[in-house]
Amino acid sequence: MSTVSSAPPSGQVPGRWRQLVADWSSDRQAFQVSWGKAMMWIFLLSDTFIFSCFLTGYMTVRISSTVPWPNPSLVFSLKIGTAEVPLLLIAIMTFVLISSSGTMAMAVNFAYRRERVRAAILMLVTAGFGVAFVSMQVFEWSKLILQEGVRPWGNPMGAAQFGSTFFMITGFHGLHVSAGVIYLVTVAVRLLRGRYEKSGNYQIVEIAGLYWHFVDLVWVFIFALFYLW
């Protein structure tokens, strides 16, 4: 009985590996997803791990604290006339950031319809919402530091860990929003200059939208854990 060897001919396997390397190094697309979008998803996945660690650490510190935790309704209240309105500024910040997701989604829609001027304008509006959010966050920080005396290492209203966790997590998120504003403005200016008109590839707007929607989604969790819990 004759046997048939399943081993490939000499030199065939190295040739296949060379072909695989050549395919992946020269191709701009893998699994029907562009490299730009794939890299953004990988970045967002890694950022998800970081924010998850921060928020998990915050919940652990708060649950294990033996000192009373400050009441968010009192800490983050805003005085309007003679009345103290709890969480008013935070509600406005949340409304502004969530609204920016809507304008960003419309920008992506117009970009794929190759209406670059409308897409660019909506991206600039989204960036404006981001600037408004960061400005209100700066006001919030100033109020806590200058009026309430909250510091990363201390807090006159309760547990000392409140200041360190609050400034770290909200500051890290604010940094993401600030970077997103620069990113959106840069892409919008390129849109207005017709940078992507020749190729007709406006996927960069969708990629920027992925980042911005992620920033908005993270804020929902921060809002729920810091301000509502």
Side-chain angles (χ1 to χ4, degrees):
M1 181 182 294
S2 60
T3 59
V4 179
S5 175
S6 60
S10 177
Q12 184 174 349
V13 173
R16 289 178 178 175
W17 280 109
R18 283 196 296 269
Q19 184 63 41
L20 180 64
V21 172
D23 290 342
W24 279 80
S25 61
S26 61
D27 196 7
R28 294 171 178 261
Q29 187 165 303
F31 307 114
Q32 302 303 316
V33 178
S34 67
W35 282 114
K37 187 183 293 186
M39 291 302 102
M40 178 56 75
W41 277 115
I42 293 175
F43 168 75
L44 296 181
L45 180 62
S46 64
D47 232 18
T48 300
F49 292 147
I50 295 175
F51 275 108
S52 297
C53 291
F54 282 173
L55 293 175
T56 302
Y58 166 76
M59 289 187 290
T60 303
V61 167
R62 178 166 179 175
I63 292 173
S64 61
S65 175
T66 56
V67 181
W69 203 262
N71 186 350
S73 297
L74 299 178
V75 175
F76 300 108
S77 64
L78 194 63
K79 190 172 184 179
I80 304 297
T82 57
E84 290 283 346
V85 183
L87 302 178
L88 176 61
L89 181 64
I90 309 305
I92 298 174
M93 291 170 61
T94 304
F95 175 78
V96 166
L97 203 58
I98 297 303
S99 298
S100 69
S101 279
T103 55
M104 189 67 233
M106 289 189 290
V108 174
N109 183 35
F110 280 120
Y112 276 117
R113 290 160 56 180
R114 301 192 65 172
E115 298 184 30
R116 60 186 179 88
V117 176
R118 290 185 177 182
I121 291 175
L122 284 167
M123 291 188 74
L124 292 175
V125 171
T126 304
F129 280 134
V131 172
F133 176 86
V134 174
S135 300
M136 286 185 283
Q137 193 170 56
V138 170
F139 174 79
E140 178 191 35
W141 276 37
S142 302
K143 180 176 179 293
L144 288 176
I145 295 173
L146 300 178
Q147 297 183 19
E148 307 295 343
V150 179
R151 300 290 187 273
W153 53 85
N155 171 33
M157 296 177 289
Q161 299 93 330
F162 170 80
S164 58
T165 54
F166 174 78
F167 289 126
M168 178 183 67
I169 296 178
T170 59
F172 192 59
H173 178 264
L175 180 64
H176 277 69
V177 176
S178 301
V181 168
I182 298 173
Y183 186 18
L184 294 181
V185 171
T186 302
V187 175
V189 170
R190 291 187 172 188
L191 278 175
L192 291 174
R193 292 179 177 178
R195 179 72 176 268
Y196 313 106
E197 189 67 20
K198 185 177 180 180
S199 64
N201 184 8
Y202 289 94
Q203 195 177 71
I204 183 65
V205 180
E206 182 184 0
I207 294 173
L210 289 175
Y211 176 86
W212 194 258
H213 293 316
F214 171 79
V215 170
D216 292 353
L217 180 61
V218 169
W219 176 253
V220 172
F221 288 96
I222 295 176
F223 174 76
L225 291 177
F226 266 105
Y227 302 104
L228 298 183
W229 182 19

